Each structure stands twice: as structure tokens, then as C-alpha cells.
Amino acid sequence: IILAAATVTGWVFLRLGFTESNVITVYILGALVTSIFTRGYVCCVLSSVLSVILFNFFLTTPRLTFHAYDSGYPVTFVIMLAASVITGTLAAKLKYHARLSARSAFRTKVMFDTNQLLQKARDDNDIINITAGQLVKLLERDVIAYPEVDGKLSEGCLFAASQQTDKQSFFTEKEKSAVEWVFDNKRRAGATTDTLKNAQCLYLAIRIKDKVYGVVGIRIGNKPLDYFENSVLLSLLGECA
């Protein structure tokens, strides 16, 4: 739609007596708008290439062919393509960095809120529930928490990220084995690890040195935690402990 609009606008410009340089800026604007409304660089580059093709086919002499009478057209096409690609990719990068900044600001706010909420907690269960709830908000994943009571783990409490979560899948023997292993060995296990990796969750101990206060599980699915998510997760668990 954007390319079609640019082509029609270019045709109108030529009918009004504008130069081809004005038409080229319309196509560059089209590549810029495409990069704003799409993700990644593929659509932007594809838009840039198609812009050159459409400009050549519809708006250069002879019309409706891929021939070009003017000897300067090849240079025009190359410059137009380069300008469109550079403009579009720069816009895509700005969008990407803006998303990163917004995500970083959100996570910083969640960590700050967690600190305040933990200070108001009345007991151990409050602390673990607050931490698990904040992890759901931060990671947008299902979280299950197992508090430690009198040297043993109590029943797990599920904090679902969506209403479609299959709650029973968190309480299978496979998941329980991973939870017990983490509690006994004080190390992470489950998904994305080499220990009981068939579990659907990544399990980590809430601990200070050898004292374990509970175990938290994060549903991984097909999307492992990235480096930043993992570091924030460890920070929140450390604060919880």
C-alpha cells in the first residue's frame, strides 16, 4: 500500500511538472514509513529495492518497461536504492533502540517497586509471593514458587501469566523431581540446563550461601531467558533471599 501510494504520488508529481528528484524523495519517504510500521530490516530493504523497480517501470521514459533512455538513470537508481536502504535501516535501528530503552525503564521500575513491596512484607510467604508476582510482571511468563517450611518445601503456588495456562503441567513428577533436586543441591536445574533439562521450567533456589528459603520455577517454553532477563532474575531472587 505504501509503495502504491508513493507510485501514484510520483505520477501526480510528474503530471504537475515536478522533477524526478521530487519523485525519488517520495519513494525514500515510503521506505522510511515502511521501516516505521514493520519490524526488522527485511521489509525495509525489500521496500527500497521495489521502489527502484517501480520508479523505473512506471515513472521513467519509456513508461511501462524496464528500459531507461537516459544514460544517467543507472546512477540515479543506485543512489536512490542506497539512500532508501540507509534511511530505512536507520529508522529501524532507532525503533529498536527505543524499544530497548522502554523495556529497560520498565524493568528498572519493576525492580524499584519490588524493593518497596518487600519492605512492607509481613512474613516469608508475603516475600515469596511478592517476588513471584513481580517476576510474572517482569518476564511475562508463568512462575511457580515453593516456599521452605521447617526444612522442607511446601506445596507450590502458581502465578500464571495468562488464563490459558495449563496448571496441571506444573505438578507432574518430572517437574517435582527438578524442584527437589534444586532444593537439595542449591543449584539451578530444569529447562536450559544440563540437569533434568526435560522439565518445562527453569528452577532456581532462593538462597543465601547454604540457606535455601524456597525454589522458584520459570516456564521457559521455546523462548530461553536472555542475558538481561537472567541477570535481573538473579537480582530479584537475591533480594528476596
Side-chain angles (χ1 to χ4, degrees), residues 179-187 212 215:
V179 173
E180 292 292 341
W181 191 93
V182 171
F183 184 68
D184 294 336
N185 294 273
K186 305 175 181 64
R187 291 191 291 128
V212 178
V215 173

Side-chain angles (χ1 to χ4, degrees), residues 1-11 13-14 20-35 44 47-60 77 80-81 83-85 87-88:
I1 293 172
I2 292 171
L3 290 174
T7 302
V8 171
T9 304
W11 180 81
F13 278 12
L14 291 179
E20 290 179 347
S21 59
N22 298 117
V23 178
I24 290 173
T25 58
V26 173
Y27 278 110
I28 294 175
L29 177 62
L32 179 61
V33 173
T34 300
S35 68
C44 168
S47 173
S48 301
V49 173
L50 288 176
S51 294
V52 174
I53 294 173
L54 292 172
F55 175 65
N56 183 15
F57 189 77
F58 289 105
L59 302 177
T60 60
F77 295 154
M80 177 181 173
L81 177 61
S84 298
V85 170
T87 303

Side-chain angles (χ1 to χ4, degrees), residues 209-223:
K209 296 183 179 179
D210 291 333
K211 173 59 177 173
V212 178
Y213 297 97
V215 173
V216 165
I218 313 293
R219 185 197 284 271
I220 298 299
N222 298 321
K223 186 182 177 184

Side-chain angles (χ1 to χ4, degrees), residues 133-151:
Q134 293 297 97
L135 285 175
V136 172
K137 185 185 296 185
L138 181 70
L139 303 176
E140 297 180 346
R141 300 170 186 256
D142 300 321
V143 173
I144 186 166
Y146 293 85
E148 177 269 342
V149 178
D150 297 329

